[in-house]
Amino acid sequence: MPSPPRASPAPAPAPEPGSDEAVAGERESGGNDAGEGDGRPDVGSSAAPGAKPAAAVPNPKPTTFVGEDVQVRYVDQVITTELNRLVVELLKELLRFQARALAKDPAKAKQKKRLVSGLREVTKGVKLGRAKAVVVAPNVEEVTGEAGLDSMLSNIITLARERGIPVVFALTRNKLGAAMGRRARMSAVAMFDYSGADEQFKAVVAAAKALAK
């Protein structure tokens, strides 16, 4: 007498999305693998025999020293470590001259400052034609409006270039403040008198000009 047919086993329940089993299944089936949706070429079995995989597009290099994560809206010049070094050395030298003059004759030194910082003071120096060059940090926060930082900074850059005053983009706000011997962050510095540091001043201006885009 023939034996009765054996019952088929019940199908296993489908794994829950996001579970270890589901992730393992995706890996085995090739889903979400390298080359799918991540910009890399597909080198699977569907490629024609002997065909070379497409070359991956390299990431663009940052255009400034401060890095790719900083949105530089107003800088038209590359910033390098060498330029930063030259700017720091020049600022420190001018500060040294200013401190020496202040110790010798405080009243006279206050009237004939070597350099000033802060957007309002820098703007005033550029308008009066006292500024011989302006150093601007490339990472000033975006604050729009008539009296916002963007408006003030744009005004400084425009006025300086209209008057033939070199604009040097260098450092960051923190590093510019440190170069000026302050803990506070600074957005801009105007140099009024660079006598005694003529060669250093020329080197900074020439370097920035060579790095202009």
Side-chain angles (χ1 to χ4, degrees):
M1 191 173 176
S3 58
R6 300 174 64 181
S8 301
E16 295 182 5
S19 65
D20 293 342
E21 292 84 356
V23 173
E26 287 181 358
R27 288 175 180 168
E28 290 174 1
S29 63
N32 200 27
D33 200 357
E36 179 179 338
D38 64 354
R40 284 179 285 181
D42 185 3
V43 293
S45 58
S46 60
K52 294 182 179 179
V57 179
N59 292 327
K61 293 182 179 180
T63 56
T64 66
F65 173 76
V66 292
E68 293 178 277
D69 57 330
V70 178
Q71 297 297 322
V72 183
R73 307 174 307 283
Y74 48 86
V75 177
D76 55 3
Q77 167 221 298
V78 175
I79 300 173
T80 65
T81 52
E82 176 63 13
L83 175 63
N84 284 344
R85 182 186 67 81
L86 292 172
V87 169
V88 169
E89 289 180 355
L90 175 59
L91 293 178
K92 287 185 175 181
E93 187 72 349
L94 296 181
L95 284 172
R96 187 175 68 85
F97 291 158
Q98 186 162 283
R100 187 173 63 184
L102 190 62
K104 185 177 180 181
D105 190 338
K108 186 178 180 180
K110 288 180 180 179
Q111 291 179 351
K112 294 185 177 182
K113 292 182 178 180
R114 289 276 188 157
L115 64 178
V116 295
S117 59
L119 294 179
R120 288 184 176 82
E121 289 299 315
V122 172
T123 300
K124 187 188 300 183
V126 172
K127 282 183 176 179
L128 295 176
R130 296 185 62 191
K132 301 300 185 292
V134 177
V135 178
V136 178
N139 63 329
V140 177
E141 297 92 340
E142 184 175 7
V143 181
T144 57
E146 188 175 348
L149 292 179
D150 276 31
S151 177
M152 296 178 70
L153 198 59
S154 177
N155 188 42
I156 289 172
I157 296 171
T158 301
L159 286 174
R161 287 176 172 168
E162 286 177 351
R163 289 161 171 74
I165 300 170
V167 178
V168 179
F169 298 101
L171 304 171
T172 61
R173 294 185 69 200
N174 282 331
K175 291 180 180 180
L176 188 55
M180 291 288 289
R182 308 278 184 84
R183 290 185 177 181
R185 297 183 298 172
M186 293 184 180
S187 300
V189 171
M191 290 177 270
F192 288 176
D193 181 7
Y194 58 84
S195 57
D198 302 62
E199 294 305 315
Q200 289 173 285
F201 178 84
K202 291 177 182 177
V204 166
V205 173
K209 186 177 180 180
L211 292 168
K213 298 180 186 177

